[in-house]
């Protein structure tokens, strides 16, 4: 299963690279700002992300439009995740801390890919363990499927031997979205807080 995730993740990077190189060739040169960080910088035209309608930890409906004018750092996962999600959320929290006052312009968002178990209350309590500023979003299975599709997120229930308990396979990129709601950078899993902070800073400086 892990290998499957790696394949999907590699596929995503390759697909973006192809689009990027394609655009570069079309425009006759590099598009936009150069990337100094570890993430994959992508030109504005790449379609990743888009409109969504989800539910926050207070049970209130939120849409992508609520975050227009702010930077968002979006991550998909689930509260029962034993390893990758807690590590990534810790890295996000660390990056927010490193960024100091400019973190005020950024909203880190955790979107569940396990809406069956991640109720608004559960996801709210979970994200606050990492950082008070983290927003946890859930939604109907259909709305979660739609937002995951928009962000090119892979997820699937993994088979488990224990009845009732299950794990989820999912891709684990961080999506840095600009104030216009467009993707600015894909940050790969395992990136440190300091590197994430540097990536965000360079993208903010470039805009
Ligand atoms: Ni996870």
């Amino acid at each position: 299963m892990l290998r499957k995730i790696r394949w999907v993740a590699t596929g995503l990077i390759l697909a973006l690279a192809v689009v990027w190189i394609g655009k570069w060739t079309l425009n006759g040169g590099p598009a936009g700002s150069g990337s100094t960080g570890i993430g994959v910088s992508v030109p504005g035209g790449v379609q990743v992300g888009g409109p969504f309608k989800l539910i926050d930890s207070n049970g209130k409906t939120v849409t992508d439009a609520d975050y227009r004018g702010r930077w968002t750092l979006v991550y998909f996962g689930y509260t029962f995740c034993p390893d990758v999600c807690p590590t990534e959320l810790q890295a996000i929290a660390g990056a927010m801390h490193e960024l100091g006052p400019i973190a005020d312009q950024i909203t880190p968002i955790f979107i569940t890919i396990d809406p069956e178990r991640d109720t608004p209350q559960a996801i709210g309590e979970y994200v606050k363990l990492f950082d008070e500023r983290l927003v946890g979003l859930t939604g109907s299975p259909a709305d979660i499927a739609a937002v995951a599709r928009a962000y090119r997120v892979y997820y699937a229930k993994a088979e488990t031997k224990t009845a009732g308990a299950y794990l989820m396979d999912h891709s684990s990129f961080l999506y840095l979205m600009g104030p216009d709601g467009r993707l600015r950078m894909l940050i790969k899993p395992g990136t440190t807080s300091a590197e994430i902070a540097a990536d965000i800073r360079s993208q903010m400086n470039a805009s």
Side-chain angles (χ1 to χ4, degrees):
M1 274 321 198
L2 243 180
R3 203 189 310 166
K4 197 166 168 194
I5 296 177
R6 257 186 232 123
W7 269 110
V8 173
T10 310
L12 180 66
I13 286 184
L14 281 176
L16 282 166
V18 167
V19 173
W20 191 23
I21 290 163
K23 280 194 91 75
W24 189 347
T25 315
L26 280 175
N27 298 340
S33 55
S35 162
T36 51
I38 199 157
V40 181
S41 193
V42 292
V46 177
Q47 267 309 308
V48 175
F52 63 74
K53 199 179 95 203
L54 297 168
I55 300 163
D56 73 7
S57 56
N58 299 313
K60 205 173 125 261
T61 299
V62 293
T63 73
D64 55 297
D66 293 323
Y67 300 102
R68 219 36 56 74
R70 295 186 58 72
W71 290 79
T72 56
L73 187 60
V74 182
Y75 181 68
F76 291 79
Y78 67 116
T79 67
F80 285 83
C81 184
D83 38 38
V84 179
C85 291
T87 306
E88 292 305 315
L89 289 172
Q90 216 142 29
I92 291 171
M96 290 294 285
H97 182 75
E98 297 235 358
L99 285 166
I102 67 164
D104 292 347
Q105 300 170 52
I106 307 158
T107 303
I109 300 176
F110 181 62
I111 301 177
T112 185
I113 42 81
D114 185 17
E116 261 178 56
R117 290 184 293 187
D118 287 341
T119 60
Q121 193 193 345
I123 199 161
E125 284 168 6
Y126 183 69
V127 293
K128 298 299 177 226
L129 297 173
F130 297 91
D131 194 295
E132 277 297 319
R133 293 164 285 191
L134 255 163
V135 171
L137 300 180
T138 185
S140 70
D143 287 340
I144 293 296
V147 68
R149 210 177 306 123
Y151 278 80
R152 313 290 197 257
V153 170
Y154 162 80
Y155 70 100
K157 224 180 241 189
E159 297 118 60
T160 26
K161 286 166 197 121
T162 331
Y166 60 89
L167 297 176
M168 300 290 294
D169 290 329
H170 65 96
S171 51
S172 292
F173 284 90
L174 304 185
Y175 301 81
L176 178 64
M177 313 300 286
D180 54 2
R182 307 190 81 142
L183 178 70
R184 295 302 167 84
M185 187 175 254
L186 255 188
I187 301 171
K188 67 179 182 198
T191 306
T192 66
S193 292
E195 288 164 338
I196 294 169
D199 278 340
I200 293 174
R201 219 186 277 276
S202 75
Q203 288 297 317
M204 286 176 124
N205 288 339
S207 67

